[in-house]
Amino acid sequence: DAGVIQSPRHEVTEMGQEVTLRCKPISGHNSLFWYRQTMMRGLELLIYFNNNVPIDDSGMPEDRFSAKMPNASFSTLKIQPSEPRDSAVYFCASSPLRGDTGELFFGEGSRLTVL
Amino acid sequence: KQEVTQIPAALSVPEGENLVLNCSFTDSAIYNLQWFRQDPGKGLTSLLLIQSSQREQTSGRLNASLDKSSGRSTLYIAASQPGDSATYLCALRSSGGSNYKLTFGKGTLLTVNP
């Protein structure tokens, strides 16, 4: 299995630009998570999907952040407009069965730098 | 609110030494606990998953234990190697409504010196 695939691996953009991060979960996994990692705050859950439906988006910091999962094999996290404080590593993770029982598998992450 | 603490934040050992990484948590009502490894600039790799009903799990040179009553988990690494150098994070799912959420510790940065 190829694992969780994220793109781009690195993104450098200027403040105010739109950023779209992409994720392909492991085939057969029906739970998908977006996390953000910073030195100050560690790993934070942004949003959780189960069977393509957003279950918990309470971790999404502001209305500038949005996430979609149009099908079982693809998800996007969009930031519009981006700000320097959004600079972080964004991870996508997937899990089999229900999200509360399965082991979590992470992608390699997308490192975002907003200038 | 569940809090997860990993001490020490950093650990340096000579190659070949056996070592223990610690993870403590404040709420014993957990569903499972997972240990991850993170290499610089990389994602998290799952090492071991311990369900609430289990006391330990083993994989190769790694052994993870869980003691809910004391709010502790340990990751034991036998015969450490330079390739074990990485940040090790523990994360747990609490029982209850939002049990899909993982609460992460800040990690222990392990350096194994040749």
Side-chain angles (χ1 to χ4, degrees):
Chain A
D1 196 317
V4 177
I5 299 173
Q6 292 187 245
S7 65
R9 291 295 314 281
H10 302 275
E11 174 94 6
V12 180
T13 191
E14 294 190 345
M15 182 174 64
Q17 296 298 305
E18 176 181 302
V19 174
T20 299
L21 308 178
R22 299 172 179 78
C23 174
K24 176 178 168 51
I26 293 173
S27 177
H29 286 190
N30 66 346
S31 293
L32 184 139
F33 304 78
W34 282 99
Y35 282 87
R36 178 171 67 176
Q37 186 179 39
T38 61
M39 288 292 292
M40 288 292 292
R41 301 172 69 95
L43 276 156
E44 302 172 281
L45 176 64
L46 299 178
I47 188 167
Y48 161 55
F49 291 89
N50 186 258
N51 290 325
N52 312 338
V53 176
I55 304 299
D56 183 352
D57 65 355
S58 60
M60 297 286 263
E62 306 171 27
D63 290 345
R64 298 183 296 105
F65 285 69
S66 63
K68 294 182 179 180
M69 192 165 186
N71 56 62
S73 59
F74 184 66
S75 177
T76 59
L77 177 68
K78 183 178 292 187
I79 308 172
Q80 180 185 23
S82 58
E83 297 182 3
R85 59 191 167 125
D86 301 331
S87 298
V89 181
Y90 291 81
F91 288 104
C92 176
S94 69
S95 177
L97 303 176
R98 293 179 59 211
D100 59 332
T101 56
E103 189 174 356
L104 207 60
F105 295 86
F106 280 76
E108 294 280 275
S110 294
R111 181 175 295 276
L112 173 64
T113 302
V114 183
L115 303 175
Chain B
K1 179 185 173 185
Q2 180 71 269
E3 293 183 1
V4 180
T5 304
Q6 293 186 248
I7 295 174
L11 179 64
S12 181
V13 300
E15 181 177 3
E17 190 165 298
N18 301 326
L19 60 100
V20 174
L21 305 180
N22 296 297
C23 173
S24 61
F25 46 93
T26 54
D27 186 349
S28 62
I30 69 169
Y31 205 96
N32 60 34
L33 185 146
Q34 196 167 352
W35 280 92
F36 293 90
R37 167 187 173 138
Q38 186 174 26
D39 293 284
K42 300 288 188 180
L44 281 71
T45 300
S46 178
L47 297 174
L48 290 163
L49 173 71
I50 309 177
Q51 298 292 355
S52 176
S53 58
Q54 298 173 324
R55 295 298 301 270
E56 65 178 341
Q57 283 286 332
T58 298
S59 175
R61 294 183 293 109
L62 306 180
N63 176 276
S65 68
L66 174 63
D67 184 344
K68 290 189 298 180
S69 62
S70 65
R72 289 189 61 196
S73 175
T74 62
L75 178 66
Y76 174 83
I77 302 177
S80 58
Q81 304 170 358
D84 294 330
S85 298
T87 297
Y88 291 81
L89 299 102
C90 70
L92 55 87
R93 297 184 194 276
S94 296
S95 302
S98 300
N99 53 8
Y100 50 83
K101 289 185 177 180
L102 278 178
T103 302
F104 282 86
K106 292 290 180 67
T108 295
L109 175 61
L110 173 66
T111 302
V112 181
N113 301 299

